[in-house]
Amino acid sequence: MSVWSENSRAALLSVLILALALLAWELAIPAQHLATEMTEYERLMGGGSARAGIPAPSQVAVKAWEQLSNPFYDAGPNDKGIGIQIAYSLGRVLTGYGMAALIAIPLGFLIGMSPVAYKALNPFIQVLRPISPLAWMPLALFIIQDSEASAIFVIFICSIWPMLLNTAFGVSGVRADWVNVARTHELGSLRTALTVILPAAAPTIITGMRISIGIAWLVIVAAEMLVGGTGIGYYVWNEWNNLDLSSVIFSILLIGIVGMLLDSVFAVLQRRLTYAE
Amino acid sequence: MSKPFVSVELLSQRFPDGKGGRMTVFENASFGIEKGEFVVILGHSGCGKSTIMNILAGLAQPTSGVVTMDGTEISGPSLDRGVVFQNYSLLPWLTALGNVRFGVRARHPDWSRAKVDEVSTEYLSMVGLSAEAIHRKPSQLSGGMRQRVSIARAFANHPKLLLLDEPFGALDALTRGTIQDELLKIWGGTNQTVFMITHDIDEAILLADRILLMTNGPFARVAESVQITIPRPRTRTDIVDHPNYYPIRNHLVQFLGKRSKELAGQASGGAAQSPDRVRIDLTAPPAPAPAHLRAIAE
Ligand SMILES: Nc1ncnc2c1ncn2[C@@H]1O[C@H](COP(=O)(O)OP(=O)(O)O)[C@@H](O)[C@H]1O
Ligand SMILES: [Mg+2]
């Protein structure tokens, strides 16, 4: 065993745990009739009901294969491929998140540079930040009068705070020595901001962006369950209504994987921009 | 009498003392630095050396008084005054080359990238950084190498006045020695005016044309200006054999050990506080003046 590196041992262990968990799950599900094998009578009596129908991993895998082999089909409002649903969700998340970043990062810069602005705005931020983003939904629907834009607004409002606070915190913490280097080199305020303060605060800013994208991805599922229509959140809810639990479990897994991918993009950025003093 | 190149006139600095009152670091300090001169200021920790230097750099405003350079008043930081800070102040996300490039690009915004690179590399090799080391980040360099980068960044910009705040304070004695030699070598080829802070007596004698001695604070004074009457080029091994070395060194040790405390804490009473000029020279032909073993105040 000792010839194996720590990483390969950990990977082996992960695979083992996965295999055991899947096996336990598979064995725990009592043998079922496939829906096609049921009589018309059984089906009408609820033989395919939720309680009876917690699917085994093999059934989820079949469903996943089916969905992933044709992810972009579009057969009307209630029947779209999983790829299309994910694309809708990602589109909303990136739009709301992008708008939040466009406001939070410059504003955070100003707040971070000015102790007065920091103290003046802090009470507002402290009150607005703990509000569950979904609590804004009724107000957003009423004011914006558009469910699509309301979902984007909810993403916007939930992703703005970590970016704003982290940017302000990172900028205010930039070492005076580095700013003095800029000053003795006669850099203007814009060049100082771009060539000294931004790279100095970048690791903290990216941490804020990483927290925000995580929250946005958590919130989009709930928001789409509320507003309906399209998106992975709506898809989960719709499949639950269809009592297709294989699809529900498959989409839960997919939500996790997409979230992990989004996070890892920022992990890579964070590693690039972090510096040792 | 024309004004010196850098002229410090009636400079005072007071800070809030944290108890509602005000603490006077120094008052009405007045001295000058000539063009091409290497001036070292020597004094105990906390007497106000960095405060003076930050005012010269334009990074801090004095409570009262003015500093002029080349006839114009210093009112803010300028590329004409290069600063090497004690803690190097390299930007940690840039490589050694990137840090020097940062300075060169600020000085010559019109230069092409290739030209900026060429000059930056040249100055880095001048301070003894290998072609491999210049692509490392400061965190991957030793303290001595970081300070070399910082010196290269300052020299590459050809400031009219180079300000060094205890540049070797954080280095071990051996490294300090080699970098002092390095600094002397680079400085020798230029006509660079240098103002440097240190609390190391031997370093001061090796490098300086003139040493300003500062008393302890508060109400610190630049009390003496000691001419270093040892010809250049100097090396650390040769200067100790010069007849003036030990008399000068003794004078400095006495000052820092005793008189810096005795002279401390006296308000100026509004008068300009100029340093007494001291010249110790045992090699000079016997003058009609009495014994020349003691300092001669002019
Ligand atoms: N910004 C400041 N506010 C209050 N006191 C200060 C400030 N800067 C320096 N001082 C005080 O001024 C005195 C001189 O400091 P400094 O110039 O750093 O000394 P040195 O460089 O000679 O060791 C010290 O007593 C220090 O505490
Ligand atoms: Mg100091």
Side-chain angles (χ1 to χ4, degrees), chain B residues 13-17 23 25-26 43-54 165-166 197 199 214:
Chain B
Q13 183 65 277
R14 291 176 234 280
F15 287 121
D17 64 1
M23 186 265 293
V25 184
F26 46 80
H44 284 285
S45 193
C47 67
K49 306 181 296 294
S50 296
T51 306
I52 291 185
M53 208 201 74
N54 284 337
D165 189 350
E166 298 193 27
I197 296 176
H199 48 228
M214 215 165 159

Side-chain angles (χ1 to χ4, degrees), chain B residues 94-101 117-118 120-138 140-141 145 149:
Chain B
L94 297 177
T95 59
L97 178 61
N99 269 282
V100 178
R101 218 157 33 193
D117 275 3
E118 185 195 316
S120 308
T121 316
E122 183 192 324
Y123 274 87
L124 279 164
S125 70
M126 212 185 278
V127 293
L129 251 79
S130 66
E132 177 265 332
I134 66 175
H135 296 295
R136 286 199 244 151
K137 301 265 174 78
Q140 300 158 321
L141 297 172
M145 283 158 113
V149 177

Side-chain angles (χ1 to χ4, degrees), chain A residues 56-223:
Chain A
S58 53
Q59 288 165 284
V60 175
V62 169
K63 175 61 81 178
W65 178 251
E66 200 180 290
Q67 287 283 357
L68 290 176
S69 52
N70 187 12
F72 295 110
Y73 75 91
D74 188 351
N78 276 334
D79 192 10
K80 295 188 203 305
I82 192 82
I84 291 186
Q85 306 288 22
I86 292 270
Y88 271 111
S89 298
L90 275 177
R92 289 185 187 119
V93 162
L94 294 181
T95 311
Y97 177 85
M99 292 194 311
L102 281 182
I103 290 177
I105 292 172
L107 190 63
F109 238 84
L110 293 179
I111 296 175
M113 305 265 257
S114 150
V116 177
Y118 191 91
K119 285 185 182 150
L121 291 174
N122 199 38
F124 298 105
I125 298 173
Q126 294 309 332
V127 170
L128 293 174
R129 192 172 58 116
I131 299 172
S132 163
L134 294 173
W136 293 96
M137 189 61 105
L139 196 63
L141 284 169
F142 178 75
I143 293 173
I144 307 175
Q145 301 272 324
D146 178 82
S147 62
E148 177 70 25
S150 297
I152 290 173
F153 172 78
V154 165
I155 294 305
F156 167 83
I157 204 80
C158 75
S159 34
I160 199 164
W161 309 118
M163 284 195 272
L164 185 66
L165 287 171
N166 267 50
T167 306
F169 180 71
V171 167
S172 66
V174 172
R175 294 231 323 244
D177 288 342
W178 300 335
V179 179
N180 281 344
V181 168
R183 291 178 64 201
T184 53
H185 286 89
E186 287 185 40
L187 298 194
S189 24
L190 187 65
R191 274 196 65 196
T192 304
L194 292 180
T195 61
V196 176
I197 297 175
L198 189 61
T204 324
I205 297 175
I206 291 291
T207 304
M209 296 180 79
R210 192 173 172 186
I211 297 171
S212 280
I213 198 79
I215 294 177
W217 189 245
L218 288 181
V219 166
I220 192 64
V221 174

